[in-house]
Structures are given as structure tokens and as C-alpha cells.
């Protein structure tokens, strides 16, 4: 169950990180509230997952999902450059996330 919570927390991190782009410096109420709720929910789920998973693994996977997801959404939805180098490094992030999961012992 901890892994499910962690993956959901990582996906929420993608959501709130992209959401910050729409808050206009937290001056737009609805995007700001949704982004804040995403931050809180993501942190709560991360903290629950970290009760049973090693913190280095939990935090690394959470950050990896968030960073890779934000980069992919940025390229796919926000028109950010999708160069071969960027795609390669996103793939490296995903390899690191899988590696942390595979070596966590849980």
C-alpha cells in the first residue's frame, strides 16, 4: 500500500508543480487553492508512505516521479522543447525511480 500512496503522491506533485504555472504568483484564487491542496495532499501521502519505506527511497521516487512528470507534461502540453537530450534525461530519471524501487527491499 505504501507504494500506491507514493505513486499517487508523485502524480500529485506533477499536478501541483504544473499548477503553479497557472497561479500567476499565487494571485489567481482558484488555481492557487487547487495548487495548495495538491501540495498538502502530496506531502501527506509522502509522509504516510515514508512510515514504512526508507526515506531515501520514498523521497527519491517522489521527486523522480514529479520531475519526470512535470518535464513530460511541459513538453507534451505546454510546448516546452522536446529535444533528444531532454527525453534522454527524463528516461534516466525513470530508470533511477525504477532502480530505487527495485533495491528498496520492500
Amino acid at each position: 500500500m505504501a507504494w500506491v500512496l507514493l505513486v499517487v503522491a508523485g502524480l500529485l506533485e506533477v499536478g501541483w508543480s504544473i499548477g503553479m504555472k497557472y497561479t500567476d504568483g499565487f494571485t489567481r484564487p482558484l488555481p492557487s487553492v487547487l495548487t495548495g491542496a495538491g501540495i498538502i495532499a502530496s506531502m501527506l501521502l509522502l509522509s504516510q508512505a515514508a512510515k514504512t519505506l526508507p526515506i531515501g527511497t520514498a523521497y527519491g521516487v517522489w521527486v523522480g516521479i514529479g520531475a519526470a512528470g512535470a518535464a513530460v507534461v511541459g513538453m507534451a502540453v505546454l510546448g516546452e522543447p522536446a529535444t533528444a537530450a531532454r527525453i534522454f534525461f527524463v528516461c534516466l530519471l525513470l530508470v533511477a525511480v525504477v532502480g530505487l524501487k527495485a533495491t528498496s527491499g520492500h
Side-chain angles (χ1 to χ4, degrees), residues 62-100:
W62 180 73
V63 169
I65 291 170
V72 168
V73 171
M75 289 184 276
V77 177
L78 302 176
E80 295 176 1
T83 64
R86 290 187 85 202
I87 293 167
F88 172 76
F89 288 113
V90 167
C91 289
L92 283 181
L93 277 170
L94 295 175
V95 167
V97 167
V98 170
L100 284 170

Side-chain angles (χ1 to χ4, degrees), residues 9-59:
L11 294 174
L12 285 168
E13 186 187 6
V14 174
W16 69 254
S17 64
I18 296 299
M20 283 197 301
K21 186 152 182 86
Y22 297 98
T23 67
D24 197 23
F26 290 99
T27 60
R28 297 181 61 213
L30 183 59
S32 297
V33 167
L34 292 174
T35 298
I39 291 168
I40 291 167
S42 181
M43 291 287 179
L44 287 172
L45 291 175
L46 172 61
S47 71
Q48 290 301 307
K51 285 182 179 180
T52 57
L53 299 174
I55 190 62
T57 300
Y59 184 73

